[in-house]
Amino acid sequence: MNIDQSAQSEEAEKQEYIEVYGARVHNLDNVDIKIPRDKLVVLTGLSGSGKSSLAFDTIYAEGQRRYLETFNTYARQFIGNMERPDVDEIKGLSPVISIEQKSTNKNPRSTVGTITEVYDFLRLLFARASIAYSYESGEMMVKYTDQQIIDLIFEEFEGRKIAVLAPMVKGRKGHYRELFEKIQRLGYIGVRVDGEMDEVHPGMQVDRYKIHDIEVVVDKLKVEEKYDQRLKKSLETTFKLSKNSLYILDVASGEIKFFSKQLMCPKTGLAYDEPEPNTFSFNSPYGACPKCNGLGTIAEIDIDKIFPMKSRSIKNGGIAPIGEYKNSWIFNQLEAIGKKFDFDLNTPIVEMSEGALDTILYGSNETVQVYKETLGVTSNYSISFEGIVNFINGQSQNSSSESIKRWAAGFMNRVDCPSCKGARLKNQSLWFKVNEKNIAELAQMDINQLDLWLDTVNNKEDDRRAKISEEILREVKVRLKFLLDVGLGYLSLNRSARSLSGGEAQRIRLATQIGSQLQGVLYILDEPSIGLHQRDNQKLIKSLQDLRDIGNSVLVVEHDEDMIRSADEVIDMGPGAGVHGGQIVAQGSPKEMRECKTLTCEYLSGAKKIEIPKERRKGNGDRIVLKGAKGNNLQNVTLRLPLGQLVCVTGVSGSGKSTLINETLYPLLSQNLYNSLRKPLEYDSIKGISNIDKVIDIDQSPIGRTPRSNPATYTKVFDEIRKLFVMVPEAKIRGYKPGRFSFNVKGGRCETCKGAGVKLVEMNFLPDVMVECEECQGKRYNRETLEIRFKGKSINDILNMTIEQGAEFFESIPNIQRKLKTLNDVGMGYVTLGQQSTTLSGGEAQRVKLAGELAKKSTGKTLYILDEPTTGLHFEDVRVLLEVINKLVNKGNTVLIIEHNMEVIKVADHIIDLGPEGGRGGGRILVEGRPEEIIKNTESYTAQFLKNILKD
């Protein structure tokens, strides 16, 4: 850090506030604000009111920019720079750390253990304080010094003649001619091959196809005191030859003993290298299972995907990878195989013999005669057939084309590695144990169990190991405590990082930051309470308060009522969303916030609230019954899902909600209704699928991966708008088609910026700058296209309208107005039609999808599945969302919501509560029924919180 930066940091420490002047990023309306330092400050307000624009795009972005400025010019040209946010001035800014939801690592090798560094400490523990066992005999491994080996030889063989043997080959195939030549050159004349003594002679070799054990006879002597020095010299020579291990053979009895300076099995002579931390790393070749390369799973061909419909013949597409009949070489080969096994291309797969199917799948080395007629000339070929399975495997492993690899993956399933059984490590690494547990068994425990297990470690280990492990265990315990404090006790260390929800990933990073004990930092968090049950909320709040108490400023973007009430200061943004927001409408302590008149304040004071329905819907009497669900932590669960109702699945984090609904029920229904390839987790049976005709999973994944995707293109409303512009008389005269009004294809778009409206200008020693296209002035289209106007508006003007303005503008066009009104009804009115989909939050993306479904004509027999749809939603947005959901249910559909938000749970017609705990302590349905019935249950945590809500 340079002198100016140090001075700025010291000045920031002295200030009581972070002062922001003239913030204009996105929809911020020239905001001036003073945020108290060293306090827990909650930033709240309607979705789209500008909270993230202020916290992340202004304050965090400026903190990052200042940090990058501390690097010299040479370094900056490689790491790049950040553009200064649109703000006049920010004073009192400390170093900033942002903990967002979008930070989940997609690497399959990244796990909870590696992210939190707990697994790294466990690797160190096993490298320094574990006990090694032989994987051949189960015996504890032993290790000797030179003097101990000599003492043991005198103790066991004194007065007897022995042969000192150096093991060269153990349990391997080969003829070993070169080895015998090398032994002879070194001057040794005796060897022991497969237990038999022999003399080395020129040209000596063994059967190359059999497994052999070969030892060199280094010396033969009688074990007496006068030969002490000779024995020592022989041992030194043997250790050099055989990498620190030797065998002692009693010449008279044939008895053999194994000795090693390494870890060695006293029964079989098996030796291990000294353990190092990378011996237990599945990301290192020294520790990873060689079969699966440390992933724990392998891709295996699914025969049901090769033959999806066995009633079909080969000609009609019975073999999925090759499709329907074409005049191609592979079908000529299959015809030839058919002649051998007595079938033709019209024979249904189900009627073919086992031998025929085996040859089709796995190939044959026997040659088959292939007859091929080309231009009237018949050719005869003798070839062997590779087999469909071998071909797909070859393409998956060796092809350089990503599209071909994806094609091959479509016929495969990920299954546990048969070698390591999913443990990720090589066999040797799994036989090092602490307290009778190997490291893979610890990684499979949930954090609650692991924390209890660590308390038992010192009780059983010897003093030396206890001293070594004491410091390591302390570090592990500290990190586990922070994970437990943020409500993640149900996770296991081997849980893949890419399977974590945004909220879980964020809380892991929070726990890591608390563990780092940094001071004088500004932490900015984005809704850390997502996915957290009310029971664990207080733990999270306590963690944030701890972060504040050690001398940090904590700024949280949050809608959770408990979090708002626990803050030192609350900043409310509004008054509306989008162009109607971007202002600070209230600021003060939670107590002061009860007195003001903003939407947030009215909900906090109870002046406004989401009403509990006077009558719960009884449904249509039908149900779907899923029996024997056993995936992950589910304990043989039977799910009874009533149809025609709003159903909430509740329970503490990790209790099995997502496993039951997203990983068992949805894939199962999708398989039956749409022939989906995704496999559900283990279950016994399902009934009642005929009671629904559609199942739709509305999740929070992005609606598009590129900036060119937007709400208008996703909901297909832009197709209707482009058709409308084609109907304009001027467009007809010019012969324009809908493609003319697309910014994704050549024709009507501006070719200078390729329809993006902006261009990237690269600057060597300054940040890259996005500048408005000088050709189209940011309008995306060329002049001719923009001359076409509907009601005085060009196609670019339409894209710049908010959804709310668009719904009003297209009031007289039913096809367009219906879709835009639906988007407006789900609270998306503040978003522009052309807003890049990559800038939408998970909650916004989910509502765009919901609107897309609402705009379709309903059959009244659809099951909608939503996973925490209230993510990122203000109290008022939740009320609007519930109105939309109730419209769906009132049409006879079923809406199934996984939810922690009590405002949604209290209005449900039916609740299914899982628990009582997370991880292994959960996986049971505790209670199901109407909310009024749920609150009578004494075991359910949801019932306890719901009881207070229903009383109010």
Side-chain angles (χ1 to χ4, degrees):
M1 187 179 279
N2 61 33
I3 297 167
D4 289 343
Q5 290 286 325
S6 302
Q8 280 180 20
S9 189
E10 284 172 26
E11 189 185 322
E13 289 295 322
K14 292 172 190 172
Q15 286 192 264
E16 291 182 26
Y17 296 95
I18 298 165
E19 300 174 33
V20 180
Y21 296 106
R24 293 175 295 276
V25 175
H26 299 150
N27 67 329
L28 294 180
D29 190 10
N30 212 31
V31 167
D32 297 342
I33 188 168
K34 292 170 81 173
I35 301 169
R37 290 172 53 81
D38 302 331
K39 302 287 184 193
L40 174 56
V41 180
V42 168
L43 195 56
T44 189
L46 284 169
S47 302
S49 59
K51 304 180 298 296
S52 294
S53 296
L54 178 61
F56 292 101
D57 301 330
T58 305
I59 298 173
Y60 173 63
E62 177 62 9
Q64 283 289 85
R65 188 188 69 81
R66 290 184 187 181
Y67 169 65
L68 288 179
E69 280 191 349
T70 64
F71 290 90
N72 62 35
T73 312
Y74 180 74
R76 284 210 302 271
Q77 70 174 318
F78 297 108
I79 60 174
N81 281 314
M82 289 185 69
E83 194 177 343
R84 181 185 170 86
D86 190 3
V87 60
D88 291 341
E89 188 180 14
I90 300 180
K91 291 182 181 177
L93 191 59
S94 313
V96 189
I97 292 175
S98 144
I99 304 177
E100 296 182 73
Q101 297 165 38
K102 296 175 185 174
S103 55
T104 313
N105 193 330
K106 299 296 179 189
N107 187 336
R109 295 185 175 278
S110 184
T111 65
V112 171
T114 58
I115 296 169
T116 57
E117 298 176 355
V118 170
Y119 192 75
D120 298 334
F121 281 102
L122 288 180
R123 290 195 293 122
L124 186 59
L125 176 70
F126 273 78
R128 300 290 176 259
S130 62
I131 297 172
Y133 295 87
S134 164
Y135 59 74
E136 288 183 348
S137 67
E139 296 273 318
M140 189 189 293
M141 305 288 265
V142 292
K143 184 169 71 169
Y144 302 116
T145 63
D146 288 6
Q147 192 54 50
Q148 283 175 320
I149 292 170
I150 289 169
D151 292 344
L152 285 166
I153 291 170
F154 270 94
E155 191 180 304
E156 293 196 35
F157 297 100
E158 192 165 11
R160 290 148 71 182
K161 190 176 182 182
I162 62 166
V164 179
L165 309 177
M168 305 298 285
V169 174
K170 184 168 171 55
R172 294 207 312 270
K173 290 179 182 178
H175 56 63
Y176 296 108
R177 188 169 57 243
E178 293 85 357
L179 176 66
F180 290 122
E181 286 172 3
K182 181 184 172 185
I183 290 168
Q184 204 169 21
R185 280 200 307 273
L186 290 171
Y188 300 105
I189 56 170
V191 287
R192 184 171 176 263
V193 179
D194 301 331
E196 298 293 325
M197 300 294 277
D198 200 353
E199 283 190 10
V200 185
H201 53 81
M204 184 175 181
Q205 65 180 54
V206 289
D207 189 334
R208 68 181 299 174
Y209 299 110
K210 289 184 180 176
I211 292 171
H212 301 289
D213 295 323
I214 301 170
E215 297 98 33
V216 177
V217 180
V218 176
D219 197 3
K220 285 184 180 178
L221 71 161
K222 199 169 187 181
V223 181
E224 291 178 348
E225 206 65 50
K226 63 181 177 179
Y227 297 124
D228 182 33
Q229 287 305 312
R230 179 178 165 183
L231 180 60
K232 277 184 183 176
K233 284 268 170 68
S234 296
L235 293 190
E236 279 177 27
T237 307
T238 307
F239 285 141
K240 280 179 188 173
L241 271 176
S242 62
K243 296 181 183 174
N244 293 326
S245 61
L246 64 84
Y247 299 169
I248 298 295
L249 174 73
D250 185 324
V251 175
S253 68
E255 180 192 351
I256 196 160
K257 282 278 180 182
F258 307 104
F259 298 98
S260 177
K261 292 203 284 186
Q262 293 176 301
L263 290 165
M264 189 196 71
C265 172
K267 210 177 234 185
T268 64
L270 174 71
Y272 293 168
D273 290 330
E274 279 297 309
E276 293 295 332
N278 63 12
T279 307
F280 307 98
S281 170
F282 45 78
N283 292 326
S284 162
Y286 297 102
C289 166
K291 174 83 174 170
C292 63
N293 292 322
L295 291 173
T297 59
I298 58 167
E300 185 177 80
I301 299 279
D302 186 343
I303 304 303
D304 290 337
K305 289 180 180 177
I306 304 276
F307 303 131
M309 298 180 76
K310 292 188 177 177
S311 57
R312 286 188 180 178
S313 66
I314 293 175
K315 201 163 195 172
N316 291 329
I319 304 177
I322 60 173
E324 293 189 359
Y325 179 79
K326 299 177 278 293
N327 186 16
S328 64
W329 179 245
I330 192 163
F331 285 98
N332 294 330
Q333 289 177 293
L334 290 168
E335 268 184 307
I337 292 167
K339 284 177 182 168
K340 182 179 178 182
F341 288 98
D342 196 26
F343 71 83
D344 60 33
L345 300 190
N346 292 310
T347 307
I349 301 287
V350 73
E351 292 176 17
M352 292 182 190
S353 69
E354 201 171 307
L357 291 176
D358 198 60
T359 302
I360 290 169
L361 288 170
Y362 303 106
S364 170
N365 289 325
E366 292 180 40
T367 56
V368 290
Q369 298 287 317
V370 179
Y371 298 92
K372 185 170 174 62
E373 189 173 304
T374 310
L375 299 173
V377 179
T378 304
S379 305
N380 185 1
Y381 301 92
S382 295
I383 54 128
S384 58
F385 183 61
E386 181 182 12
I388 302 285
V389 167
N390 295 332
F391 176 73
I392 292 172
N393 275 328
Q395 293 298 315
S396 172
Q397 290 163 19
N398 305 322
S399 175
S400 58
S401 165
E402 284 302 316
S403 60
I404 287 176
K405 284 186 174 181
R406 278 197 298 274
W407 170 82
F411 302 103
M412 295 176 163
N413 292 327
R414 299 297 304 183
V415 296
D416 276 354
C417 170
S419 177
C420 65
K421 308 289 188 293
R424 295 175 167 234
L425 298 171
K426 58 173 66 169
N427 194 21
Q428 177 180 315
S429 303
L430 297 172
W431 285 85
F432 287 85
K433 299 187 179 183
V434 174
N435 251 23
E436 298 172 6
K437 297 277 185 193
N438 66 37
I439 195 166
E441 288 171 321
L442 298 189
Q444 283 162 2
M445 291 181 180
D446 63 45
I447 289 166
N448 284 316
Q449 285 180 304
L450 182 59
D451 190 53
L452 292 172
W453 179 86
L454 289 173
D455 291 334
T456 68
V457 173
N458 275 343
N459 302 336
K460 291 190 178 180
E461 305 299 342
D462 59 45
D463 287 345
R464 186 186 71 83
R465 288 195 170 88
K467 281 177 184 173
I468 293 170
S469 60
E470 187 179 354
E471 191 62 38
I472 302 171
L473 291 172
R474 188 183 302 122
E475 285 292 336
V476 174
K477 288 283 285 182
V478 166
R479 278 166 170 74
L480 293 185
K481 179 185 178 297
F482 293 133
L483 289 167
L484 293 170
D485 286 347
V486 293
L488 293 173
Y490 60 91
L491 293 178
S492 60
L493 293 185
N494 66 354
R495 171 85 174 262
S496 173
R498 61 182 177 181
S499 73
L500 298 171
S501 70
E504 287 170 335
Q506 190 178 21
R507 289 196 294 281
I508 284 175
R509 285 193 66 201
L510 175 62
T512 309
Q513 289 299 330
I514 297 168
S516 68
Q517 296 288 295
L518 291 174
Q519 295 179 4
V521 173
L522 168 61
Y523 286 99
I524 304 180
L525 293 95
D526 186 10
E527 290 197 82
S529 65
I530 288 171
L532 203 57
H533 193 272
Q534 298 293 108
R535 181 197 70 166
D536 298 317
N537 238 1
Q538 290 308 316
K539 287 183 184 175
L540 174 65
I541 292 166
K542 175 75 169 59
S543 296
L544 294 175
Q545 288 169 338
D546 289 345
L547 207 54
R548 171 202 66 192
D549 292 343
I550 61 174
N552 297 299
S553 307
V554 183
L555 179 60
V556 186
V557 176
E558 188 58 272
H559 296 109
D560 181 73
E561 190 174 341
D562 291 343
M563 186 76 75
I564 294 170
R565 294 188 188 282
S566 304
D568 301 314
E569 181 106 353
V570 180
I571 299 167
D572 189 17
M573 295 196 70
V579 292
H580 307 300
Q583 300 170 26
I584 307 297
V585 291
Q587 183 174 359
S589 67
K591 194 174 179 184
E592 291 166 347
M593 292 293 285
R594 294 173 67 94
E595 309 303 321
C596 62
K597 297 297 177 194
T598 68
L599 266 175
T600 305
C601 299
E602 287 177 342
Y603 275 100
L604 287 174
S605 65
K608 281 194 95 164
K609 59 182 177 182
I610 295 169
E611 296 295 337
I612 295 167
K614 290 174 183 154
E615 198 176 332
R616 311 272 179 191
R617 283 169 290 233
K618 291 178 181 171
N620 58 22
D622 293 327
R623 58 174 55 193
I624 291 172
V625 180
L626 171 66
K627 289 187 176 176
K630 305 179 189 73
N632 294 338
N633 67 329
L634 293 180
Q635 298 178 26
N636 205 25
V637 163
T638 296
L639 170 72
R640 297 174 187 83
L641 178 63
L643 301 178
Q645 290 181 294
L646 171 55
V647 182
C648 270
V649 178
T650 62
V652 299
S653 305
S655 57
K657 305 182 295 298
S658 293
T659 299
L660 180 60
I661 305 303
N662 294 335
E663 297 180 52
T664 309
L665 178 67
Y666 174 67
L668 183 52
L669 295 175
S670 200
Q671 248 184 12
N672 280 274
L673 295 171
Y674 310 124
N675 294 322
S676 162
L677 294 177
R678 187 178 160 197
K679 277 196 167 182
L681 296 179
E682 190 182 354
Y683 72 99
D684 290 340
S685 65
I686 188 166
K687 289 180 183 173
I689 296 178
S690 58
N691 296 322
I692 60 169
D693 59 10
K694 277 197 292 185
V695 59
I696 295 162
D697 182 26
I698 304 173
D699 60 16
Q700 295 199 3
S701 59
I703 60 171
R705 292 178 182 174
T706 68
R708 293 181 178 278
S709 171
N710 56 49
T713 56
Y714 181 82
T715 56
K716 308 291 184 194
V717 73
F718 196 51
D719 295 348
E720 300 294 333
I721 292 170
R722 289 191 291 125
K723 286 176 191 171
L724 188 65
F725 269 79
V726 169
M727 302 303 290
V728 172
E730 183 63 27
K732 282 185 176 180
I733 291 166
R734 297 184 185 187
Y736 289 169
K737 296 287 186 282
R740 180 81 195 191
F741 300 97
S742 169
F743 50 77
N744 288 326
V745 293
K746 288 181 178 180
R749 73 181 183 184
C750 167
E751 284 306 318
T752 306
C753 62
K754 302 287 189 285
V758 290
K759 285 173 68 182
L760 183 74
V761 178
E762 293 181 4
M763 303 175 78
N764 283 340
F765 295 103
L766 290 168
D768 294 342
V769 178
M770 297 292 283
V771 297
E772 194 176 79
C773 173
E774 73 281 357
E775 183 72 24
C776 65
Q777 278 82 49
K779 293 178 179 176
R780 300 182 182 220
Y781 295 91
N782 57 33
R783 182 176 54 80
E784 291 79 10
T785 308
L786 293 171
E787 284 172 357
I788 308 299
R789 291 178 176 267
F790 175 78
K791 288 188 182 179
K793 301 285 186 187
S794 70
I795 190 79
N796 180 64
D797 295 333
I798 301 294
L799 286 171
N800 289 334
M801 284 182 182
T802 64
I803 286 164
E804 187 180 7
Q805 291 166 336
E808 197 177 315
F809 182 78
F810 291 108
E811 199 172 4
S812 57
I813 317 290
N815 277 358
I816 299 173
Q817 203 268 345
R818 179 166 48 86
K819 289 179 178 177
L820 294 181
K821 185 178 181 299
T822 312
L823 278 165
N824 198 31
D825 288 347
V826 295
M828 297 292 290
Y830 60 91
V831 172
T832 63
L833 285 165
Q835 183 169 332
Q836 297 172 0
S837 64
T838 50
T839 65
L840 297 174
S841 69
E844 287 169 333
Q846 189 172 36
R847 277 177 284 151
V848 171
K849 292 176 186 177
L850 188 58
E853 292 304 326
L854 278 168
K856 294 174 185 173
K857 287 180 181 174
S858 167
T859 59
K861 291 179 73 177
T862 303
L863 170 61
Y864 297 93
I865 298 173
L866 288 86
D867 191 351
E868 291 197 73
T870 59
T871 296
L873 296 192
H874 184 266
F875 307 107
E876 179 67 10
D877 296 316
V878 172
R879 184 189 65 76
V880 172
L881 178 71
L882 285 170
E883 282 182 8
V884 174
I885 288 171
N886 280 319
K887 280 181 190 172
L888 283 174
V889 182
N890 291 337
K891 287 179 182 174
N893 301 300
T894 308
V895 178
L896 178 61
I897 302 178
I898 301 172
E899 191 54 88
H900 293 293
N901 190 320
M902 287 295 158
E903 297 298 310
V904 175
I905 296 169
K906 75 180 184 185
V907 302
D909 303 312
H910 188 87
I911 295 172
I912 299 165
D913 189 52
L914 279 84
E917 298 293 336
R920 287 174 174 80
R924 293 189 290 122
I925 291 180
L926 299 176
V927 59
E928 49 190 318
R930 292 182 298 113
E932 289 76 16
E933 295 164 353
I934 296 290
I935 59 175
K936 295 172 187 171
N937 187 282
T938 54
E939 197 180 2
S940 163
Y941 290 109
T942 305
Q944 294 170 25
F945 288 96
L946 188 58
K947 188 184 284 186
N948 298 330
I949 296 277
L950 293 180
K951 271 182 191 173
D952 296 343

